[in-house]
Structure formats: structure tokens, C-alpha cells
Amino acid sequence: MYVELKHINKSFGSFRASEDISFSIEKGRLAALLGPSGSGKTTILRMIAGLEAPDSGEIWINGQLVNEVPGSQRGIGFVFQNYALFRYMTVWDNIAFGLEVQKKSKKEIRERVSELVGLVGLTGLEKRYPSELSGGQKQRVAFARALAPSPRLLLLDEPFAAVDAKVRQELRQWLKGMIARVGITSIFVTHDQEEALEVADQIIVTNQGRVEQIGAPAEIYLKPASSFVARFVTGVPAIEGDWRFVGFPEPPAGARALIRPEFVEAFRPDNEKYKALLDGAQPGVVEDVSFRGSHWEVTLQTGNASVTVRRSLQRRPVARGDILQVVIYRLYQLAPDGSIRLLENKALEGRYIPED
């Protein structure tokens, strides 16, 4: 493994920022530290960078124990949330800065900066200052500057937080492709579930200073190891109180339900296409309809709870107050102790589930 953390602990006074953190990352992989604010992800990144020292445990990079190695000697490139560009330096000079610190020759600096300017798509902007750049362009300069000294590991702290939604979407794909081309092992911190699922090869989910789950994006999403992971990664609120749904056993005391939109189907009673699903259906009243560009998002009240379903634009429109038949294919049952079970609708066993 290229990066390994073994039983890392870190406290700030009485606050336990990291508790028995252990994980490993293969060479060339892009890993995401995903968690809510205060979950400990940035502390982990800073310890890897050498900006904080763990109270106990070991940090290994490329087979070397780096606990006692100063951050400046760990061969790490760092991209900050707010870019941290030098305001009075041009794009060229910002990218060249680390090479000048390394006392590289003018020829080496010129060749390396030229290479990176082309690589990150900033050709023609070399003489501009940060104030003359867009947010996306600034982030590309920060990325190129971090890569210039040829680090063995790249760390990114909330790299897309300072740009708007459209630019953020573009930067995600750009960053993923760029890191794959460069082949550098990278770790980025984010609290955005969609961002981690879309960009990362590996996700490390953190919560209250501990690692909740480690896995590929699809594994994290499809097989959450705890109720926290299921709730956080999905972004769907858990259903509290007295909930009951057709096809599912009566829930134990204190249990909550988590139902993702893809777990639900809703159709008009006269829809012959879904007739085979009626045994597992129950009536629901449309509470809200929102247009999401590629689909309608429909919220319904059913079984003493609100559920959401994504509805194709090609289907018949629905409006508030309409009564539909609601089928819940499956749900996560969240126990009070934090454990999780995926339950299937027993009334649908052996039934064909049609698609739009």
C-alpha cells in the first residue's frame, strides 16, 4: 500500500478528533475522506501532510514511516480550499514558486511550468494575476502549483468548495481525469456525498473522529455498513415514529426507516403496466412535485410517512392532491443501536418489476 495510517489517535484538549484511525490507499488511487463538519476528516489530512502530529499511531508513505519527518520533506503537494495563490504573482510565477524554492535551473523551471500550463488548460493566461481569473481557473493554477515540484502524494482540502455549482461539476470530471493522467496518489476532503461518489476510487467515511466504512463508491452506496453511512451518503432523512408499509414486517420499537427514491414506484390506479405490483402497493397522496431537469421529484404521504420518487418526464404528469398507488420495493431498517438491515417487499416476491 502507498499510504497507510495505523491506529492513529489525536486529541485537542478534551476533544477527540481522531480515534483509532486505520486505512490504506493503493498507489495511483484517488481517495475521498467523506464526512460531516467536525467528523475528523481535515485533521486526518493535516496529519498526513505533517501540519499536525498524531498523539499515537503510525503514518506510512511509500513504505516510509513519516511521523518524525517534517511536512516539507514528505514530498506532498497540497491544494487548499481557498486556493492560497500569491496575489501579486502571475499564473506563471505561482506555478514556478515551488520549483524556485527547490533551486531548479531556469531551463527546468521553464520546461516544467510550460508543461503544466498546457496540462491544466491555462495556455495564454500565463501573465494574468489571480484577480483576473475565474474560480475554476484559480483552482487549476493551485492544482498545477501543487504538482510542479513532482510530489509523491497530493492532498486536496475541499477543492471545489469555493466555486459555483456549474464550475464545480466541470472541475470534478476535470480533476478525476487529470489525476488519472498524471498517475499521482491523491486524497481529498469533502462533505459532499455526490462529489465523493462521482470522483473517488475509494471512499473513507468519517464520523465523530472514527472511520465508519471504507470501500469503493458503489459499495459505500449500495452496502452501507451502519445507519450513519446509509443516512449520510444518501442524504435522505430517516422516517421516525409509527411507520408501516405493505410487504414489510411491523418494525421493532424505536426503529427508523430509510427509503431512497430509487426504492419507490408510484403509478395511477388505471396503469395496466404496473398491475402486477398491486399486491405490494398502498395508496399515497401527492404532497409536492418538483422539476429536476431530467425528471420530476414527487413527494407522497403514505403509510404515516413521506416518501420521494423520481418520475420520468415521459410519464403522465401528476399534481398535488392526486392519489397514486405507491410501491416500496425495499427499505433500510435502522435500529437504535446504529445497526442496519436491508428489507425487501415480501409481497413482490417473484413479481416482474417494470421499468420506464
Side-chain angles (χ1 to χ4, degrees), residues 272-286:
E272 291 293 322
K273 182 179 178 180
Y274 293 92
K275 188 175 180 180
L277 303 182
L278 284 173
D279 287 348
Q282 60 197 50
V285 180
V286 175

Side-chain angles (χ1 to χ4, degrees), residues 8 15 17 36 41-43 47 66 74 101 103 125 130 174 209 225 235 237 248 253 272 278 317 320 322 329 349 355:
I8 294 293
F15 175 67
K41 55 190 186 296
T42 297
T43 298
M47 287 190 287
V66 298
R74 293 187 184 186
V101 170
K103 301 189 183 303
L125 304 180
W174 175 82
F248 296 92
E272 291 293 322
L278 284 173
R320 290 181 184 178
D322 286 355
Y329 298 136
E349 286 185 342
E355 297 179 354

Side-chain angles (χ1 to χ4, degrees), residues 231 236-245 251-252 254-261 263-264 282 299-308 328 330-335:
R231 287 183 287 111
V236 174
I239 296 170
E240 312 271 355
D242 183 24
W243 54 271
R244 287 177 175 78
F245 303 112
R256 295 174 294 168
L258 191 144
I259 303 173
R260 292 172 170 166
F263 291 177
V264 185
Q282 60 197 50
T299 302
L300 304 107
Q301 180 71 23
T302 184
N304 295 328
S306 286
V307 298
T308 299
I328 298 170
R330 60 188 63 88
L331 61 79
Y332 288 114
Q333 182 175 282
L334 313 179

Side-chain angles (χ1 to χ4, degrees), residues 4 10 20 46 96 130 133 147 238 276 300 329 352:
E4 288 188 88
K10 177 67 177 179
D20 196 29
R46 290 177 61 83
L133 302 175
L147 287 179
L300 304 107
Y329 298 136
Y352 168 65

Side-chain angles (χ1 to χ4, degrees), residues 16-35:
R16 197 78 175 270
S18 297
E19 185 175 350
D20 196 29
I21 299 292
S22 295
F23 62 80
S24 58
I25 301 169
E26 295 179 8
K27 184 176 177 60
R29 305 286 279 178
L30 173 56
L33 285 166
L34 172 66

Side-chain angles (χ1 to χ4, degrees), residues 55-77:
D55 299 332
S56 62
E58 298 178 346
I59 300 174
W60 294 77
I61 300 176
N62 195 22
Q64 178 188 9
L65 180 64
V66 298
N67 287 53
E68 303 301 325
V69 177
S72 60
Q73 298 175 25
R74 293 187 184 186
I76 290 174

Side-chain angles (χ1 to χ4, degrees), residues 136-212:
Q137 290 168 340
K138 290 177 185 176
Q139 193 59 279
R140 290 172 187 242
V141 175
F143 183 76
R145 185 181 64 181
L147 287 179
S150 299
R152 56 181 180 174
L153 177 64
L154 182 66
L155 305 179
L156 306 99
D157 186 12
E158 299 274 6
F160 312 116
V163 294
D164 61 39
K166 183 177 184 299
V167 176
R168 190 180 306 129
Q169 185 67 35
E170 294 171 355
L171 278 177
R172 286 176 186 170
Q173 290 304 314
W174 175 82
L175 178 68
K176 184 172 185 176
M178 190 61 55
I179 287 176
R181 288 173 61 188
V182 174
I184 185 171
T185 309
S186 306
I187 306 171
F188 74 100
V189 160
T190 183
H191 64 272
D192 188 315
Q193 308 93 320
E194 182 181 317
E195 190 170 281
L197 292 168
E198 181 180 340
V199 176
D201 301 312
Q202 175 182 348
I203 297 177
I204 302 152
V205 183
T206 60
N207 179 37
Q208 296 182 339
R210 298 182 63 88
V211 171
E212 288 271 345

